Each structure stands twice: as structure tokens, then as C-alpha cells.
Amino acid sequence: MSERLPSNVKQDRDPGGRSLLRLEHDGDAVEVATVGAQVLRWLRQGTDVLWTASQPKYADGQPVRGGVPLVFPWFGDHPADAKLPAHGFARNRTWQLVHANETPEVVLQLGDDDATRAMWPHAFRLRLSVVLGSRLRLGLSIENTGTAPFRCEQALHTYFGVGDIATASVHGLEASPHTEHAAAPETGWDPRQPLRFRAETDRIFQRVPERLELRAPLLSRTVVLQTTGAASAIVWNPWPAKTAKLSQMAADDWQRFCCIESANVREAAIELAPGASHTLTLRLECSAG
Ligand code: TA6
């Protein structure tokens, strides 16, 4: 993008010296890295509502563990080739800034190239819109720019700070069918109750409502997640055993975050005909805290 940026959108660098965009509005700010179009932080009056691991690595070609890594075109390990990057390649590629305005909003774009087609033989255009107001609004659109239909998965893999995982809860998924993918999950929990964290949790929910709530009483914080175009949600906390195997994490990091991922995965994967597109939007609203 060649034109000048609005005064409330600034070019900056993250701790690893990578290019980032900082949007500012009424004392709030959001920072978006061009690697992966990854929202790194959402500062509400200086306090980050999102969460970043204790030993973050800000390196080209990989996501920081925290903020909102983007998942596309597959969720989790590649179904047929374990050598391909987990959660697809979108979060590892450098995106281009294609639009900015004084809302403030930025739009970043990623298209296919030889490297992506070698991993996934389709032509596509992704766009991520980030809009900062009293809320934070993300919009991830996928367009099939090729001549054949394709099927893909997507997620906004959002990390939320909760202060103490033992007191956090997720509300709104009580009626949604789910599958558990944790190696050592809690047994005997009541799916009709709000979700609490009592063991490793890696739960995929389908046919989810548009409104979910994360309550973090230790931070006196409630975050409302309002989505459109998201049929799935994944709720994740690795608990100590899996945390020990994860990059960028301190041993006790699991106590301070959970992921609530707004997604279309597995049976809710997106099928796009040539020329068709799909947009997933997530609006985050944070009460005091
Ligand atoms: O969304 C949950 C999950 O699939 C977990 O199983 C865990 O692998 C997590 O994503 C983080 O994945 P990453 O590749 O970012 O370490």
C-alpha cells in the first residue's frame, strides 16, 4: 500500500524487530504483526485483554504464541502429511497491508504462491480486517480465486488472559455438540453447565451460538465474543503436562490463559466454489478489568 497511513495507524516494530501496525482509539490500542496478520495485543486503557506466553519468540515464518494466530487452510496437524505446518500456513506467511482508514481499520491480504500451492494446490485470497473502537472487530474472509472448488478449515485462535484458570468459565456452549481431543481430559463433567477448567481441555464444539462469554473473576473481567459465520468453537487449555511440550511457554503458563477459537472446522469446514467467498467475523467486548 503506497498511500500515507492515517494518524491513528502507525508503523512500528515488535520485540523481534518484525513489522507491525499499531491502531489507536480513545486510549485503546491493537497491534497487528504483518507476519501471519497476527493480532499480538489488544490494550484496553493499557491492559492487554489477550494473552502472550512468557517466553515469546517474534521470528519470521512463525506465529507468536498468543494474541490471535490465524488458522488456514487446515486445523491441527495436516491430515495426510505431518511434515506440513500445524494449523496450516497462513499464520507463518507475511501478509500485505492493502487498506487503512481513520476508523481506525487496517486490512491485510494473503494470496497463493508457489510455496502455498506446493502445500495446498488451490488459488485463494485471504483478507483480515481489524477495526478498533470500544470493541475489537476482526473479519477473516476467504475467496476462491481458482477454477476448481475447494474445502478448507479456518479459525481465529484467540488467547485470552484469565488470571487464574481455576476460576475462569466459558458460557454459551452448553447446548452445542462437542468432541474432546485432550490426551488427559476431565471425565464426568456436566455439558449442561458452563465450561470450567479442571484438566487438560481441547474441546471442539459445533453448531455454536453467535454469542459466547468468558468470565475471569480474578481479573474482574468478562469478555463477550460475538461472531458471524463461525459454526465451530474450540476451547483449549493444555494443563501442565502438555504445556511442558509447547514452545514459548513457561511451566506454569497454563494457569493464566485459555483459548476460545472462533472457527469452521471438521464437519463445518468451508466449501467454496470458484469465485465464492466466506467471511468469519469476531467482535470482542471487554467489561472493566
Ligand atoms: O486449538 C487447540 C490446538 O489444536 C491444541 O491441540 C494445540 O495444539 C493448540 O491448538 C496450539 O497449537 P500450536 O500449533 O499453536 O502450538
Side-chain angles (χ1 to χ4, degrees), residues 76-99:
D77 293 335
H78 186 279
D81 182 352
K83 293 194 298 301
L84 294 176
H87 288 325
F89 47 71
R91 64 182 187 171
N92 304 331
R93 316 285 298 168
T94 298
W95 293 47
Q96 302 304 317
L97 176 65
V98 294
H99 175 74

Side-chain angles (χ1 to χ4, degrees), residues 63 65 75-76 86-87 91 157 159 202 234 236 242 246 261:
R65 186 176 297 285
F75 179 85
H87 288 325
R91 64 182 187 171
H157 195 295
Y159 286 75
D202 197 347
I234 300 97
W236 178 56
K242 181 156 186 178
L246 292 171
E261 302 153 40

Side-chain angles (χ1 to χ4, degrees), residues 25-91:
H25 171 84
D26 270 356
D28 292 353
V30 62
E31 295 179 345
V32 190
T34 51
V35 173
Q38 183 174 359
V39 170
L40 295 176
R41 300 198 299 170
W42 173 33
L43 301 169
R44 293 270 292 147
Q45 305 303 306
T47 300
D48 194 356
V49 179
L50 307 178
W51 182 82
T52 303
S54 298
Q55 299 158 9
K57 293 207 174 15
Y58 297 84
D60 281 342
Q62 69 171 52
V64 180
R65 186 176 297 285
V68 187
L70 301 180
V71 174
F72 175 87
W74 59 82
F75 179 85
D77 293 335
H78 186 279
D81 182 352
K83 293 194 298 301
L84 294 176
H87 288 325
F89 47 71
R91 64 182 187 171

Side-chain angles (χ1 to χ4, degrees), residues 1 9 28 44 50 66 71 83 99 125 147 162 168 174 184 201 206 210 235 249 253 258 266 271 278:
M1 190 181 111
V9 177
D28 292 353
R44 293 270 292 147
L50 307 178
V71 174
K83 293 194 298 301
H99 175 74
R125 183 174 72 180
T147 55
V162 296
E174 294 80 2
T201 306
Q206 300 289 8
E210 293 192 340
V235 179
M249 291 279 221
D253 268 354
C258 73
R266 304 299 186 261
E271 314 221 346
H278 173 277

Side-chain angles (χ1 to χ4, degrees), residues 174-251:
E174 294 80 2
S176 297
H178 64 274
T179 51
E180 177 66 69
H181 302 268
E186 179 188 357
T187 54
W189 57 280
D190 181 354
R192 295 162 303 176
Q193 295 302 315
L195 188 152
R196 305 296 297 261
F197 298 89
R198 301 185 185 94
E200 180 189 348
T201 306
D202 197 347
R203 235 163 265 173
I204 299 179
F205 294 85
Q206 300 289 8
R207 302 204 296 276
V208 301
E210 293 192 340
R211 185 184 189 278
L212 299 177
E213 223 178 71
L214 168 63
R215 294 180 192 168
L218 194 76
L219 303 177
S220 308
R221 181 183 296 174
T222 297
V223 180
V224 174
L225 294 82
Q226 192 77 36
T227 58
T228 64
S232 317
I234 300 97
V235 179
W236 178 56
N237 181 281
W239 230 241
K242 181 156 186 178
T243 299
K245 300 173 190 163
L246 292 171
S247 62
Q248 308 182 46
M249 291 279 221

